Amino acid sequence: ASDPDGPAAAKNLLLRALEVDPENVVAISVLADYYENVEGDLDRAHDLHKRAVQLQPGNSDVLAALAALLASARGDLEAAHDLYLRAVEADGSNAEHLGALAVVEMQLARRPGADMPARVARAEAHFEAAASLDPEASELAAN
């Protein structure tokens, strides 16, 4: 017997919501998270996150969600960096996005040919900004 409150039921509700409103960014984003974290379907998650960004290019949360997927699952740090920058530009008061941008900046600093001092300085500035907004968020990002 299937669980009427389980993940598959949630997925079906999200799919129905998108039939009614195909541009519902919340449903698109939650469904993308479902595919990424429950089914492990990173391609479908990526496509949905991209769709959410296309629909709301100034939404810092959808920008950061796509950035996180690109950084962690695809290793595309440059694209993740650009998206985190856009997320921070859209909402400079989000400590989590600032911390994530700092982490990606540090990862890019370690790449061959990178301008390490400049990248480390930018990462430190992002960490400091995150810490000033939310000390716990900056501690999480640093780990």
Side-chain angles (χ1 to χ4, degrees):
S2 66
D3 179 359
D5 296 321
K11 174 185 170 186
N12 288 332
L13 288 172
L14 290 166
L15 290 170
R16 276 192 260 150
L18 289 173
E19 287 175 10
V20 173
D21 180 6
E23 296 186 357
N24 182 325
V25 172
V26 172
I28 292 168
S29 296
V30 173
L31 187 59
D33 290 340
Y34 172 87
Y35 282 121
E36 182 178 350
N37 299 308
V38 176
E39 292 190 5
D41 187 341
L42 300 180
D43 290 335
R44 190 169 283 169
H46 177 259
D47 291 345
L48 287 166
H49 281 306
K50 276 182 61 175
R51 185 166 154 211
V53 167
Q54 290 166 346
L55 290 168
Q56 291 188 357
N59 182 320
S60 66
D61 292 327
V62 298
L63 290 163
L66 179 56
L69 176 71
L70 290 172
S72 65
R74 299 267 167 97
D76 189 347
L77 297 177
E78 290 84 3
H81 178 267
D82 292 345
L83 287 162
Y84 278 130
L85 274 177
R86 287 174 53 194
V88 167
E89 287 169 5
D91 180 6
S93 66
N94 190 308
E96 189 176 331
H97 299 166
L98 280 161
L101 176 59
V103 169
V104 170
E105 196 77 69
M106 288 299 293
Q107 291 171 322
L108 287 169
R110 294 186 194 109
R111 292 235 168 129
D115 183 355
M116 185 179 268
R119 287 213 177 263
V120 169
R122 284 194 299 266
E124 288 173 349
H126 297 315
F127 275 128
E128 288 171 13
S132 72
L133 293 167
D134 182 356
E136 288 181 24
S138 65
E139 286 174 25
L140 291 174
N143 291 331

